[in-house]
Amino acid sequence: MSFKRNASILGLALLVSDHALAHIQNENIDSFYNGLLHPVLVPAHLLLLIAVGLLLGQQGKKNAEIIVSIFVIATMVGLAMSWFSIGLEFEVLILSLSAAAGLLIAINPKTKSLWCTTIAALAGFSLGVDSAQETLFGMEKFLTLLGSAIAICFLLLYPMALADYFNQKTWQRVAVRVAGSWVTAISVLVLALAVSDKPRLAVDVLPQ
Amino acid sequence: MKTRHLYSLLMAAFLIVYASVSSAHEGVGLSGGFISGFMHPILGWDHVAAMVAVGLWGAFLGAPAMWILPVVFPLVMAIGGAIGVMGVPIPAVETGIAASAVVLGAMVAFAVRPPILIAAVIVGAFAIFHGHAHGTELPQAANPLAYSIGFVLSTGLLHLCGIAFGLLVRWPAGKVAVQAGGGLIALAGVGFLTGIV
């Protein structure tokens, strides 16, 4: 690359460089992408997905397909119910499930298929119902919920694959268990805030 | 060839220097909550000393203490945090935090090797004080969940710093260095207790 070419790239880079826009303005993106981003931008949802994903991945491949299928079905049922915007608050359930999943990861008991299935089903359902979009209607609402469904399922699979991969060496298994204890600590703290008389619980706040 | 690399390096250096200040974090919302939570343990010397000491002691004791202590600490810390969030007072929280640096630092300095259960109980007892201190700040946070994520991650990374340094115990000189590190933490703890530091 010649000096001239370097200089032109440099000039162009200087012209186009500007302040970083770290936070997406939700009103500027379409419904489907909004839905896709919803579980990523709601910390409580993301925390639960990470916890359940790590829990299922930690258990290895035994019954994994069945449990993931149950999670997907429960998510779809939850999202279908969210269509009618039943208006129930699910933050406490979501945080409780995160705490339980994190604790199971940290303790790492040997047999807990039933626990895993129950937690996965409840997690899928509560995440689905809690993804309600009260202000949207018709196709817009459908596309948003479709985006959320896809994101929820993928966000479960990523930590699951990671925990499954991190199941070979001692330090890897320890790292997963430490992550579980962190999830429990975070969830218990915010749960305490939710059940105390403090005025607000901002677990659902999307960045503006 | 060399000239070409030199031009590329100069260009890269210039771009790095020219980079404008990022305005991503404004102390509000998710980012503000996360950053304030993340910085809370780091900005307090007493917290830093105690967290590093937990990792250091765990590494000094070897497996399974090396991972049991960093798992026990956040779990018990959450209980202390919950007590703090609910506004239940715990007497002498700051003294407890300072004492944690003294005790945990001294454990490393004097190469104390109690059974894992005793070590976990000692670490867990001090975790209550640290959790309470963080928990009382939680309701004021811009976003409590983001704040919790920040401070739990930060606490875990401080443990990791201690573990990383503690792994030096495999070498004879490293063992001396780790024990000296424990001694420094204990001395710092005395400073926190007496108000000198």
Side-chain angles (χ1 to χ4, degrees), chain A:
Chain A
M1 200 188 279
S2 68
F3 176 72
K4 268 188 180 176
R5 201 166 163 191
N6 267 331
S8 358
I9 292 170
L10 175 63
L12 198 64
L14 293 180
L15 280 174
V16 299
S17 70
D18 204 346
H19 294 288
L21 291 171
H23 303 303
I24 297 160
Q25 295 296 314
N26 292 315
E27 61 268 25
N28 293 336
I29 56 176
D30 63 52
S31 305
F32 177 73
Y33 193 40
N34 235 321
L36 209 62
L37 284 178
H38 188 262
V40 183
L41 295 177
V42 179
H45 287 204
L46 192 60
L47 193 71
L48 179 57
L49 286 165
I50 290 171
V52 176
L54 288 178
L55 177 68
L56 299 185
Q58 190 190 41
Q59 298 306 304
K61 292 172 181 66
K62 192 186 168 192
N63 298 331
E65 291 92 346
I66 298 168
I67 299 173
V68 170
S69 305
I70 288 169
F71 174 84
V72 172
I73 292 166
T75 305
M76 296 308 161
V77 171
L79 284 167
M81 283 186 72
S82 81
W83 181 273
F84 304 104
S85 302
I86 54 174
L88 291 175
E89 292 292 326
F90 281 84
E91 285 96 344
V92 171
L93 177 62
I94 287 173
L95 290 166
S96 306
L97 288 169
S98 299
L103 198 62
L104 283 174
I105 296 166
I107 297 167
N108 195 17
K110 290 211 167 64
T111 50
K112 55 185 178 196
S113 265
L114 184 66
W115 282 105
C116 287
T117 312
T118 310
I119 287 175
L122 284 172
F125 178 75
S126 57
L127 288 172
V129 180
D130 205 48
S131 299
Q133 302 288 339
E134 288 92 351
T135 55
L136 300 178
F137 301 95
M139 185 54 80
E140 244 187 346
K141 189 169 189 169
F142 174 75
L143 288 172
T144 308
L145 294 180
L146 181 67
S148 293
I150 293 169
I152 287 170
C153 294
F154 271 98
L155 286 170
L156 177 87
L157 295 177
Y158 281 119
M160 194 176 161
L162 200 70
D164 182 51
Y165 180 75
F166 267 37
N167 216 352
Q168 291 155 20
K169 294 180 178 171
T170 307
W171 73 265
Q172 294 174 335
R173 287 191 286 273
V174 167
V176 171
R177 292 174 79 163
V178 169
S181 71
W182 290 0
V183 169
T184 302
I186 293 162
S187 310
V188 167
L189 280 161
V190 187
L191 262 177
L193 186 64
V195 298
S196 70
D197 293 325
K198 297 295 184 286
R200 69 199 174 83
L201 172 64
V203 294
D204 250 357
V205 179
L206 287 170
Q208 296 302 310

Side-chain angles (χ1 to χ4, degrees), chain B residues 22 26 34 37 46 48-49 52 89 92 121 124 139-140 154 177 182-183:
Chain B
S22 165
E26 295 165 345
F34 178 80
D46 44 1
V48 172
V52 171
V121 168
Q140 286 84 45
S154 173

Side-chain angles (χ1 to χ4, degrees), chain B residues 83 87-91 93 132:
Chain B
I83 295 170
V88 180
I90 288 182
V93 170
H132 192 276

